[in-house]
């Protein structure tokens, strides 16, 4: 007899910053949250603790730029470690019939992982 799957937990940020060693799942979650802000599905203030001031202000300016009829979805992420405390990430986002991209840099500061730089395929940073 097959075992039932455990109940799914709602997707929510349990920690405001990625703690300890980052995992691909945590990186994909940050990409998803960022895409939701860019699609106008989430307010930028909800992800502010995850970003330094410069990428946060850029995200505020571009909120809604990925707006489509369907909710954005992370299709794939690429993580490129740049050392023990820095990683660069690229993400392919499905937005309706379009594909969008975003890139960000994560750095470990004061024991927490934060986004220090963010780029999208919309305008200049």
């Amino acid at each position: 007899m097959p075992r039932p799957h455990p109940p799914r937990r709602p997707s929510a940020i349990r920690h405001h910053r990625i703690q300890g060693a980052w995992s691909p799942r945590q990186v994909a979650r940050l990409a998803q949250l960022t895409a939701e802000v860019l699609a106008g599905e989430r307010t930028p203030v909800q992800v502010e603790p995850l970003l330094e001031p410069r990428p946060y202000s850029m995200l505020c300016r571009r909120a809604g730029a990925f707006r489509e009829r369907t909710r954005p979805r992370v299709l794939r992420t690429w993580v490129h470690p740049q050392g023990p405390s820095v990683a660069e990430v690229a993400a392919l986002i499905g937005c309706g019939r379009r594909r969008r991209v975003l890139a960000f840099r994560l750095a470990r500061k004061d024991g927490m992982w934060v986004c220090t730089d963010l780029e999208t395929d919309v305008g200049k940073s």
Side-chain angles (χ1 to χ4, degrees):
M1 181 172 191
R3 294 174 56 191
H5 294 285
R8 294 186 77 174
R9 293 187 180 137
S11 346
I13 304 174
R14 291 185 179 268
H15 306 285
H16 287 288
R17 294 187 176 131
I18 300 170
Q19 296 182 353
W22 48 266
S23 72
R25 184 176 178 190
Q26 289 171 309
V27 170
R29 181 70 182 139
L30 179 56
Q32 180 66 39
L33 293 170
T34 303
E36 289 172 7
V37 171
L38 290 167
E41 303 261 333
R42 181 179 295 274
T43 62
V45 75
Q46 291 178 295
V47 296
E48 183 180 12
L50 301 167
L51 300 137
E52 285 195 334
R54 190 171 132 230
Y56 176 71
S57 69
M58 189 278 294
L59 189 61
C60 289
R61 287 191 311 272
R62 299 209 179 123
F66 283 9
R67 191 175 305 275
E68 286 287 334
R69 292 179 128 179
T70 59
R71 188 175 195 153
R73 192 181 76 165
V74 173
L75 302 175
R76 182 162 181 198
T77 58
W78 295 267
V79 179
H80 303 279
Q82 302 295 308
S85 61
V86 177
E88 292 183 349
V89 179
L92 178 64
I93 312 293
C95 294
R97 293 184 299 178
R98 295 193 68 180
R99 300 292 181 255
R100 309 303 297 253
V101 294
L102 61 94
F104 54 93
R105 178 179 273 252
L106 293 174
R108 192 173 170 105
K109 295 190 175 190
D110 299 323
M112 304 294 227
W113 288 94
V114 294
C115 176
T116 60
D117 199 10
L118 176 66
E119 294 182 19
T120 70
D121 62 351
V122 179
K124 290 191 170 195
S125 294

